[in-house]
Amino acid sequence: AAKLRCIVSSSSVATYGSSVLKLGQTMAIHGKRFDFAMDEAPPSWSSVGQWRTADAELCTYFMEDLDEPMKKTRRPFRALIAPMPFDKGAMRFAFYVVDEENPDRKYVGKVYQFDDPVFQQRSTYEGDMGSQAVASYLAKEFSVRYPESPIEFVQAHLLDLGDARDVFPFRFMALEPWITGKYEKFTSNAGHIAKDSDLAQ
């Protein structure tokens, strides 16, 4: 039988409790949202030279063992960021991002919608990165134990825009690879599980 290849979206693995907490906080700061116009047109990769730029730092978080603290690597990252988000969910806006030094590397940058320090601070994004590091580790362990249904975890990063606040109204983005194709969602942060999912829950 063909192997089932499942992709766990790295931006959707924050714990249920954390998601509920943040949803509760959004009620407390209702109205304090970034006012971004949306650009739903397909990305024009040939015009990325006209996008906004930032000399940023890219941080990658990972775990080698669940009994050990989360580890982090960092490197400079020259980011080209689309001026408008192309989509949004209940919590975040999504922007197209390109690595200027490696233009074939395309990403999606996700930013919390709320113009409030509760969300627009490093500790909030690092909390999400911690959940994602755990999920990445568990996905690898799952794939070792159940090779007939491997899970590929989409690596997420924290993009720190540093002193670019005169260009962007936010400092941090959760960054993950941009992947083409059609997707079907089997689970959600609110606890939904599709009945026809072949993936063990």
Side-chain angles (χ1 to χ4, degrees):
K3 290 185 177 180
L4 175 65
R5 182 173 181 270
C6 301
I7 297 179
V8 178
S9 173
S10 60
S11 62
S12 303
V13 298
T15 63
Y16 175 62
S18 175
S19 299
V20 170
L21 173 62
K22 286 174 181 164
L23 284 170
Q25 290 170 331
T26 63
M27 300 300 103
I29 60 173
H30 180 70
K32 293 184 178 181
R33 295 174 182 253
F34 293 126
D35 186 20
F36 291 133
M38 304 291 293
D39 183 1
E40 299 178 356
S44 177
W45 303 116
S46 61
S47 64
V48 297
Q50 302 172 17
W51 291 2
R52 298 172 178 174
T53 62
D55 289 313
E57 180 180 69
L58 188 70
C59 300
T60 302
Y61 300 79
F62 61 96
M63 301 190 73
E64 295 180 342
D65 191 288
L66 290 179
D67 294 326
E68 298 179 358
M70 179 174 63
K71 298 183 179 180
K72 175 175 66 176
T73 62
R74 60 179 67 187
R75 68 175 177 86
F77 187 95
R78 177 76 170 172
L80 299 173
I81 303 174
M84 292 185 290
F86 68 88
D87 203 355
K88 69 176 181 178
M91 300 287 288
R92 287 169 288 204
F93 289 107
F95 293 79
Y96 292 118
V97 181
V98 171
D99 180 350
E100 186 177 51
E101 295 184 358
N102 300 278
D104 290 336
R105 296 182 182 177
K106 303 175 178 66
Y107 299 88
V108 173
K110 297 186 178 180
V111 177
Y112 279 111
Q113 298 179 25
F114 312 103
D115 187 10
D116 187 280
V118 171
F119 291 89
Q120 303 303 326
Q121 58 184 336
R122 176 180 286 273
S123 61
T124 297
Y125 280 86
E126 285 194 329
D128 293 341
M129 294 296 122
S131 296
Q132 293 160 12
V134 171
S136 178
Y137 177 87
L138 294 177
K140 292 176 183 177
E141 290 296 308
F142 181 94
S143 299
V144 170
R145 296 190 182 190
Y146 301 96
E148 70 278 7
S149 298
I151 297 176
E152 179 182 345
F153 183 85
V154 180
Q155 179 67 59
H157 313 270
L158 174 61
L159 190 65
D160 184 348
L161 302 179
D163 297 328
R165 289 301 297 268
D166 57 333
V167 179
F168 305 96
F170 48 83
R171 176 171 175 173
F172 302 103
M173 299 181 103
L175 201 67
E176 61 187 55
W178 179 71
I179 305 174
T180 60
K182 183 178 179 181
Y183 300 90
E184 185 174 356
K185 193 169 185 178
F186 292 104
T187 62
S188 76
N189 290 342
H192 169 74
I193 299 174
K195 294 181 180 180
D196 58 346
S197 173
D198 292 327
L199 179 63
Q201 302 292 341

